[in-house]
């Protein structure tokens, strides 16, 4: 496993230019060289803005085909270890997956402590929904069609043993999908751990600059990938080429950004441990964290997202007012350090719980600012 801020190991599979060294490259090399570049061409081709194409080639219509999609899909698929299909948001990706895989009457297992909109969506489908905490215990998967995991969970940062759950689910004939948004494709590879599908919001760390909505589904099953791609074409939930290009541009610095974010998260965790104003401090990279043992086995790096609890809503407001570097925002994984009081969105958490997303600021500045804001 890689260090919390380090490059970790490289995965196999076609990637970028497909050169012979690609299988052994480190994360930084893989994200920088995620697109094939011919002599005389730009390092990353600009977005292809097209509705119809002149017929006779591979591309016919913009709802079905776009070279800008294919470039980023090849890059993300290479990182995930499967075939990638892009969507205009993480929720569009999850929606397409659920509607493709599930039929009326099927049984779906979802995390009770994961992203709340996933549970909202699941409740609207004509399926039986079983909610289970990320850390378990898990019931039998007998009769289950799809097990949707989220590890680390959002916002609680609990983890589950993906390999063990995938084995148990497959023994009962169930598919396993993992929401890998918090971990990122550099932090965790669920397909290598036995999952059938990876789904993620690339709005967060992959694009990384808080200016793009995007998501994707990856699977090692070509037939399932084709079904999901066909559902995208039929349903029309397609990503914009400019947004796709921006996300691909952001992908090039993912390794560098994750390294700084993880270093900042580690420093913040050390500074806040034992702080009188803070309870419920969680970060899977900390040796004493309840999730650390499992996280250390299956994650390649621990990322920049922490959870902490202040006394109440007013304490969170005071903290944000006093901070010069931490912004109130409901997303995470960007350049800026952000804090989100999750109870305001309906998560079943304490009123003062904050999901703190460490950004790329200088570590000393960020730690000093957070401590000063806490008083």
């Amino acid at each position: 496993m890689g260090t919390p801020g380090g490059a970790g190991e490289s995965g196999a599979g076609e990637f970028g230019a497909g050169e012979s060294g690609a299988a052994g490259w480190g994360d930084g090399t893989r994200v920088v060289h995620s697109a094939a570049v011919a002599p005389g061409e730009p390092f990353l081709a600009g977005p292809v803005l097209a509705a119809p194409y002149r017929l006779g080639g591979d591309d016919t219509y913009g709802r079905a085909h776009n070279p800008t999609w294919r470039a980023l899909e090849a890059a993300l698929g290479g990182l995930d270890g499967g075939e990638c299909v892009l969507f205009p948001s993480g929720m569009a990706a999850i929606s397409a997956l659920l509607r493709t895989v599930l039929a009326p009457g099927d049984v779906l297992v979802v995390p009770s402590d994961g992203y709340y909109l996933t549970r909202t969506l699941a409740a609207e489908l004509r399926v039986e929904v079983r909610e289970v905490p990320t850390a378990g215990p898990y019931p039998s998967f007998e009769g289950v069609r799809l097990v949707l995991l989220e590890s680390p969970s959002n916002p609680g940062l609990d983890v589950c043993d993906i390999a063990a759950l995938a084995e148990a689910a497959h023994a009962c004939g169930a598919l396993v999908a993992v929401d890998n948004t918090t971990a990122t494709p550099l932090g965790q590879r669920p397909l290598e751990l036995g999952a059938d599908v990876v789904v993620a919001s690339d709005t967060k760390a992959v694009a990384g600059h808080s200016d793009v909505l995007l998501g994707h589904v990856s699977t090692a099953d070509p037939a399932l990938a084709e079904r999901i791609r066909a559902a995208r074409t039929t349903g029309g939930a397609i990503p914009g080429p400019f947004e796709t290009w921006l996300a691909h541009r952001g992908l090039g610095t993912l390794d560098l950004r994750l390294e700084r974010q993880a270093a900042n998260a580690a420093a913040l965790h050390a500074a806040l441990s034992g702080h009188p104003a803070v309870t419920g401090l969680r970060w899977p990279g900390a040796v004493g964290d309840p999730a650390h043992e499992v996280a250390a086995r299956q994650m390649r790096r621990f990322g920049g997202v922490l959870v902490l609890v202040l006394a109440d809503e007013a304490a969170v407001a005071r903290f944000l007012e006093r901070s010069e570097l931490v912004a109130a925002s409901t997303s995470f994984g960007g350049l800026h350090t952000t804090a989100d009081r999750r109870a305001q969105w309906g998560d079943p958490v304490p009123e003062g719980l904050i999901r703190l997303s460490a950004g790329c600021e200088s570590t000393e500045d960020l730690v000093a600012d957070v401590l000063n804001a806490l008083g």
Side-chain angles (χ1 to χ4, degrees):
M1 188 197 74
T3 60
E9 302 174 357
S10 293
E14 293 299 324
F15 191 77
E19 297 177 8
S20 59
W25 284 340
D27 287 345
T29 306
R30 286 163 63 82
V31 295
V32 169
H33 293 270
S34 64
V37 181
E41 296 295 327
F43 285 108
L44 181 62
V48 175
L49 305 174
Y53 299 83
R54 183 172 179 175
L55 297 180
D58 293 333
D59 296 330
T60 59
Y61 189 60
R63 183 162 38 80
H65 306 124
N66 189 285
T68 312
W69 301 347
R70 291 197 293 272
L72 182 54
E73 287 172 339
L76 291 174
L79 292 174
D80 283 332
E83 190 171 341
C84 171
V85 183
L86 284 179
F87 287 89
S89 69
M91 283 308 301
I94 290 176
S95 178
L97 171 66
L98 297 187
R99 296 179 191 281
T100 299
V101 169
L102 298 173
D106 281 344
V107 178
L108 166 66
V109 173
V110 298
S112 60
D113 54 346
Y115 185 47
Y116 74 103
L117 276 182
T118 300
R119 296 193 300 276
T120 301
L121 172 64
E124 295 174 355
L125 302 175
R126 291 183 294 168
V127 299
E128 179 184 337
V129 180
R130 299 176 185 172
E131 297 187 9
V132 183
T134 294
Y138 283 81
S140 169
F141 294 130
E142 197 67 42
V144 173
R145 171 58 177 159
L146 175 65
V147 179
L148 176 58
L149 307 173
E150 185 176 309
S151 186
S153 61
N154 173 23
L157 299 185
D158 271 323
V159 305
C160 58
D161 189 328
I162 295 172
L165 290 173
E167 182 178 1
H170 291 157
C172 295
L175 293 173
V176 175
V178 178
D179 186 331
N180 205 39
T181 300
T182 304
T184 82
L186 297 190
Q188 184 172 262
R189 293 180 180 149
L191 297 182
E192 294 182 0
L193 296 169
D196 301 288
V197 182
V198 169
V199 62
S201 169
D202 303 315
T203 305
K204 314 301 191 293
V206 168
H209 290 74
S210 305
D211 55 4
V212 170
L213 288 173
L214 207 71
H216 79 272
V217 175
S218 286
T219 176
D221 181 348
L224 179 56
E226 183 53 38
R227 289 175 61 200
I228 293 171
R229 186 174 295 108
R232 179 182 67 182
T233 300
T234 302
I238 60 171
F242 186 70
E243 288 80 1
T244 301
W245 177 79
L246 282 175
H248 200 163
R249 186 180 67 165
L251 179 65
T253 58
L254 179 59
D255 175 61
L256 294 173
R257 289 184 281 106
L258 289 179
E259 183 175 0
R260 172 59 67 85
Q261 289 165 349
N264 282 348
L268 286 169
H269 187 277
L272 296 177
S273 295
H275 193 287
V278 174
T279 60
L281 183 63
R282 297 292 306 273
W283 182 56
V287 173
D289 190 273
H292 180 75
E293 182 182 354
V294 177
R297 290 202 308 266
Q298 67 187 20
M299 296 184 71
R300 304 171 67 248
R301 57 176 91 198
F302 298 112
V305 181
L306 308 93
V307 170
L308 58 111
V309 181
L310 302 184
D312 49 30
E313 179 180 353
V316 175
R318 287 194 298 271
F319 166 71
L320 291 169
E321 182 179 355
R322 295 185 63 176
S323 174
E324 295 183 74
L325 298 180
V326 182
S329 175
T330 191
S331 193
F332 61 92
L335 298 175
H336 301 81
T337 296
T338 60
D340 190 19
R341 191 179 69 82
R342 291 304 301 173
Q344 67 184 309
W345 308 114
D347 280 339
V349 297
E351 287 295 321
L353 183 141
I354 295 174
R355 183 185 64 203
L356 187 66
S357 175
C360 295
E361 297 89 352
S362 297
T363 304
E364 297 80 3
D365 295 337
L366 181 58
V367 171
D369 177 78
V370 168
L371 291 176
N372 179 68
L374 288 172

